[in-house]
Amino acid sequence: MMNFQPFSGIVTMISDFAIGSNNEGAGCYKLMSVDNGRGSLVNFVVEPTTYFVDHVMIEAGDRVTGFYDADAAVPLIFPPQFRAIVMAKNTPYQNVKVDYFNSRLESSDGQLKLNISPYTQMLLQNGQAFTNNPANRNLIVIYGPSTRSIPAQTTPYKIIVMC
């Protein structure tokens, strides 16, 4: 179970990022700098396996949320540099939560409970249909309104199962 943490802000720069000493992976990896506007800056390493919600193209100036594993080892540099697992372009009326959801479909932080409807689209990261129970898995949840209860409850538009 990963400890997913979000960081939101405006993309200030996107550049190629070489891994290794022989310029390995040139063009396949990107470094995306994100500024939250309150003095915090993060560099996300975007890999070929990074999942982009709705497969959108992100450009400098876009408001985004990057999700990373807070328990993963990171280099001690400033600004901090995290491996992006999921990137989402912030869109009005759409929320994104990446977390482990238990057997009651509650997020590990206890902040969101999912109520699945027949209209909830459930997919794998490759876009194929997911037909099993999404409980006890890492999920990317795309949803709109939610209740003001604790945990907040929502009927998601789409669930992407991270196998």
Side-chain angles (χ1 to χ4, degrees), residues 94-108:
Q94 177 176 294
N95 303 298
V96 177
K97 174 115 178 144
V98 180
D99 207 343
Y100 177 84
F101 286 80
N102 65 20
S103 60
R104 295 183 309 272
L105 291 176
E106 290 179 0
S107 61
S108 67

Side-chain angles (χ1 to χ4, degrees), residues 85-141:
I85 298 166
V86 175
M87 294 295 294
K89 186 173 180 177
N90 296 5
T91 324
Y93 312 111
Q94 177 176 294
N95 303 298
V96 177
K97 174 115 178 144
V98 180
D99 207 343
Y100 177 84
F101 286 80
N102 65 20
S103 60
R104 295 183 309 272
L105 291 176
E106 290 179 0
S107 61
S108 67
D109 63 4
Q111 297 297 307
L112 189 64
K113 180 176 182 346
L114 307 180
N115 300 316
I116 308 290
S117 87
Y119 302 104
T120 300
Q121 198 177 15
M122 289 197 291
L123 305 169
L124 295 169
Q125 287 177 277
N126 63 11
Q128 299 304 301
F130 179 80
T131 54
N132 288 334
N133 184 348
N136 297 313
R137 297 176 187 268
N138 291 322
L139 304 175
I140 302 167
V141 179

Side-chain angles (χ1 to χ4, degrees), residues 2-146:
M2 283 192 202
N3 178 11
F4 293 102
Q5 291 297 314
F7 185 84
S8 297
I10 294 175
V11 176
T12 58
M13 180 185 71
I14 301 172
S15 60
D16 284 335
F17 184 73
I19 59 169
S21 58
N22 296 332
N23 214 15
E24 298 167 33
C28 294
Y29 292 79
K30 301 288 182 188
L31 193 66
M32 196 173 288
S33 298
V34 178
D35 184 346
N36 75 352
R38 296 185 302 274
S40 293
L41 180 70
V42 163
N43 285 334
F44 283 111
V45 176
V46 177
E47 302 175 343
T49 57
T50 300
Y51 184 82
F52 282 80
V53 174
D54 296 329
H55 304 288
V56 296
M57 185 71 66
I58 292 179
E59 301 172 340
D62 288 343
R63 183 167 293 281
V64 299
T65 300
F67 296 88
Y68 62 94
D69 182 358
D71 294 333
V74 295
L76 293 174
I77 58 174
F78 183 82
Q81 185 172 296
F82 300 118
R83 183 178 148 253
I85 298 166
V86 175
M87 294 295 294
K89 186 173 180 177
N90 296 5
T91 324
Y93 312 111
Q94 177 176 294
N95 303 298
V96 177
K97 174 115 178 144
V98 180
D99 207 343
Y100 177 84
F101 286 80
N102 65 20
S103 60
R104 295 183 309 272
L105 291 176
E106 290 179 0
S107 61
S108 67
D109 63 4
Q111 297 297 307
L112 189 64
K113 180 176 182 346
L114 307 180
N115 300 316
I116 308 290
S117 87
Y119 302 104
T120 300
Q121 198 177 15
M122 289 197 291
L123 305 169
L124 295 169
Q125 287 177 277
N126 63 11
Q128 299 304 301
F130 179 80
T131 54
N132 288 334
N133 184 348
N136 297 313
R137 297 176 187 268
N138 291 322
L139 304 175
I140 302 167
V141 179
I142 297 138
Y143 64 100
S146 62

